[in-house]
Amino acid sequence: MSMIFFACVVRVRDGLPLSASTDFYHTQDFLEWRRRLKSLALRLAQYPGRGSAEGHDFSIHFSSFGDVACMAICSCQCPATMAFCFLETLWWEFTASYDTTCIGLASRPYAFLEFDNIIQKVKWHFNYVSSSQMESSLEKIQEELKLQPPVVLTLEDTDVANGVMNGHTPMHLEAAPNFRMEPVTALGILSLILNIMCAALNLIRGVHLAEHSLQVAHEEIGNVLAFLVPFVACIFQCYLYLFYSPARTMKVVLMLLFICLGNMYLHGLRNLWQILFHIGVAFLSSYQILTRQLQEKQSDYGV
């Protein structure tokens, strides 16, 4: 028996629908839940990574991370574990097919129409394949839901008039579920150590120069910033390597630019070899950040 009736992929920041399954249901109740799903999609940025809204016959489940959220309308008999397992599978399939830049540049609804077939395929698999074949994945999701239960929304939360126009939409600040990165490599650890070393050198020189500048020469403020800005950039590079962040490529380029410009500005206070060392470490760290990806999801669904 079919328990997942409709699914879609939306962009979190503005609720723009990117792809959706074919809709074969046209009852008045189902169309009302479609309207509620569209309303909720516009406000996903206000909610944590997982949430559900349940009614008498249907329920809405959503799962979001980064720029993308997956949403589904299910039968009330559909277990939450199965619904969120389905949504996570969709998320992995979509993010493996399209990068952050393509998603961010999408300007019209259903820009990724070709992904509709994948949604239909995954939906069919979850509706008609025995759950025993995906037991390990369901157990993993069940454990995650115990540790961090999805937020439970009322019907008012999914209603445009009550939720938005009257300003009653609740704000939820819980963190979204984390996705694991690939294991840290030996070269990655080396880049972290060198980056921390460069950050420490920038901080020590910057603080010392700031003390001197306040006492003697105020014109050295530019040099102080040229030490402290790369210090912040080095620390942020360490963060980008250790943790996943949306729009990572753009952030890496900005941090690399700050470090290079800061060290070029310091020519005279640093010799050529020191400048090349700092810039070389920055390039090594940038390369390590960009090559460390999310872990490949093991396919337990045969999709």
Side-chain angles (χ1 to χ4, degrees), residues 180-202:
R180 293 182 179 180
M181 303 285 290
E182 290 178 347
V184 174
T185 62
L187 190 58
I189 294 173
L190 176 63
S191 72
L192 283 174
I193 294 172
L194 293 175
N195 221 342
I196 293 171
M197 182 189 303
C198 289
L201 291 172
N202 285 323

Side-chain angles (χ1 to χ4, degrees), residues 48-94:
R50 290 186 177 128
S52 301
E54 297 186 1
H56 180 67
D57 296 316
F58 299 101
S59 60
I60 293 175
H61 301 280
F62 67 84
S63 181
S64 66
F65 183 73
D67 299 327
V68 175
C70 296
M71 308 180 73
I73 298 176
C74 305
S75 163
C76 280
Q77 283 73 44
C78 180
T81 303
M82 177 179 172
F84 285 114
C85 192
F86 165 73
L87 293 175
E88 183 176 320
T89 303
L90 273 191
W91 187 92
W92 281 101
E93 292 282 351
F94 189 84

Side-chain angles (χ1 to χ4, degrees), residues 86-225:
F86 165 73
L87 293 175
E88 183 176 320
T89 303
L90 273 191
W91 187 92
W92 281 101
E93 292 282 351
F94 189 84
T95 53
S97 302
Y98 308 101
D99 60 29
T100 304
T101 303
C102 291
I103 296 167
L105 293 176
S107 58
R108 58 183 177 82
Y110 307 106
F112 305 100
L113 193 64
E114 65 278 5
F115 191 75
D116 295 5
N117 291 330
I118 301 296
I119 298 179
Q120 290 292 109
K121 187 175 180 180
V122 177
K123 183 162 72 76
W124 182 92
H125 189 83
F126 273 81
N127 278 333
Y128 299 108
V129 174
S130 171
S131 61
S132 62
Q133 297 185 22
M134 53 184 92
E135 185 176 347
S136 61
S137 297
L138 291 172
E139 288 177 356
K140 172 181 171 290
I141 295 296
Q142 191 170 25
E143 288 299 316
E144 290 181 3
L145 295 181
K146 286 180 181 178
L147 294 174
Q148 189 174 21
V151 62
V152 178
L153 306 180
T154 65
L155 295 185
E156 277 193 354
D157 295 325
T158 63
D159 192 289
V160 176
N162 291 332
V164 177
M165 294 176 66
N166 294 334
H168 293 156
T169 302
M171 296 295 289
H172 301 270
L173 301 178
E174 293 93 332
N178 292 320
F179 288 85
R180 293 182 179 180
M181 303 285 290
E182 290 178 347
V184 174
T185 62
L187 190 58
I189 294 173
L190 176 63
S191 72
L192 283 174
I193 294 172
L194 293 175
N195 221 342
I196 293 171
M197 182 189 303
C198 289
L201 291 172
N202 285 323
L203 180 62
I204 293 170
R205 291 290 303 275
V207 170
H208 177 74
L209 197 61
E211 292 175 350
H212 182 265
S213 176
L214 292 174
Q215 296 173 2
V216 181
H218 292 281
E219 63 271 13
E220 293 183 354
I221 293 297
N223 291 333
V224 173
L225 291 176

